[in-house]
Structures are given as structure tokens and as C-alpha cells.
Amino acid sequence: MHKPIINIADVELLPRPPHMAPTGKAAERYEAKAGSIGQRLGAQKLGYGIVAIAPGKRAFPYHTHLANEEMFLVLEGSGEIRIGEQVYPITQGDVIACPAGGRETAHQIINTGAVELRYLAVSTRLSPEVAEYPDAGSFAVLAERPASAGKPSPMLMFVGREEQSLNYWENT
């Protein structure tokens, strides 16, 4: 069994792998490093890790989850979180709830401070999941594929827009 304890000082924060890194104009807005904790400890129903956002940047686009709930605990730094139509200041020690839902629960953390903003992110791990991106008018379908011998579970992801949908009866 895995040791069920890790100190956050021992969590290595890494940039996104090249195939997941923002490109073009998005690279100007998004810059984050992350370190996985949950998988290292053998967690099965919750995902958790540390995220660090550079000053003036965001980790992820404004989004909402239809299945999974998230919670954030600000460890260092300050910034703001946009939830639905509201923007709230956040700082060290703040706990933020982001339940699953529609546009009213869409959220995005932005580092408006002068130093790195670090937070602990905790979420349920329901799969498949649908995430909506209200600003972009798009959605993503994400599903965890079964793991194979000692390798992490690969993720299936499809990003699209509703108007691009095929007819349900097409090609049947």
C-alpha cells in the first residue's frame, strides 16, 4: 500500500506537457505548474493536487463541470476567482467551493498579485465528465480510459461546439 501521507513541500510542480501547453494568444494568458497528489497516495474517488499560477496569468479557461465538484484552498499569494457573474478577491487561507452545475457555477482563478499564487485543488473524479466553456461557446467531453499494467489511465478528450454536432440518426 502507498504511504497515505505527503508533505506539500515534497510535491514537485511541473509545467504542462508540450501537447497540453497553451499556444498562440492563449499562451499569453495561461501559465501554470501542477503537482499531482491524489494518484501518488492511491486516492480513487477524489483527485487532488497543487497548482501554481504565475502573476497576471490563469491556470484554466473559465469553465463549469456538469458532473464533478471542485474545492480550492489558497496556500500562498492572492488573486481573484470569477464564479458565474461575480468576481471575488482571494488570498491565503481562503476555501472556495465550486459545485457542479451550469453557467452560474462556471469559475476561473486569476493571479492578480505580484507573486506566484498556489492552491490545493480537490475534486470528485466522476467519469465521463462534460465541461462547458461559456466564454468560448465550447464544451469538452472527458473520459478516463482503463489503465494498463502499471501505466496511468489515459484520458479521452473531445472539444467541440454544439452546432457542430452530427445528426443522431446519421450513418445508422
Side-chain angles (χ1 to χ4, degrees):
M1 177 174 180
H2 296 94
K3 180 179 175 185
I5 301 168
I6 190 169
N7 189 289
I8 60 172
D10 296 329
V11 177
E12 183 180 12
L13 300 179
L14 301 170
R16 288 183 173 99
H19 72 281
M20 293 296 294
T23 58
K25 285 192 165 210
E28 297 171 14
R29 297 180 59 149
Y30 301 95
E31 183 181 332
K33 296 181 284 185
S36 177
I37 298 173
Q39 289 179 331
R40 289 178 61 182
L41 299 178
Q44 295 182 16
K45 295 187 179 185
L46 291 177
Y48 32 104
I50 305 287
V51 177
I53 306 173
K57 306 288 183 171
R58 299 150 176 80
F60 302 99
Y62 180 64
H63 67 283
T64 188
H65 300 272
L66 299 187
N68 286 297
E69 181 167 343
E70 293 181 301
M71 188 271 317
F72 307 108
L73 168 62
V74 180
L75 302 171
E76 297 176 24
S78 62
E80 60 188 30
I81 185 164
R82 178 180 168 202
I83 301 176
E85 298 294 320
Q86 303 294 315
V87 176
Y88 303 94
I90 58 173
T91 192
Q92 183 176 347
D94 286 345
V95 178
I96 305 155
C98 293
R103 290 178 186 262
E104 73 283 358
T105 64
H107 53 277
Q108 180 182 53
I109 295 175
I110 305 165
N111 183 348
T112 58
V115 298
E116 190 174 71
L117 170 64
R118 287 183 181 223
Y119 60 90
L120 171 68
V122 179
S123 70
T124 52
R125 292 189 56 209
L126 301 174
S127 181
E129 164 71 298
V130 175
E132 290 185 286
Y133 303 91
D135 288 347
S138 61
F139 67 92
V141 178
L142 307 117
E144 194 171 314
R145 292 180 168 148
S148 59
K151 295 181 182 176
S153 303
M155 184 67 70
L156 170 67
M157 182 168 77
F158 175 82
V159 179
R161 296 191 189 325
E162 285 186 49
E163 61 272 10
Q164 295 172 326
S165 180
L166 298 176
N167 180 300
Y168 176 78
W169 298 106
E170 191 173 315
N171 298 321
T172 60

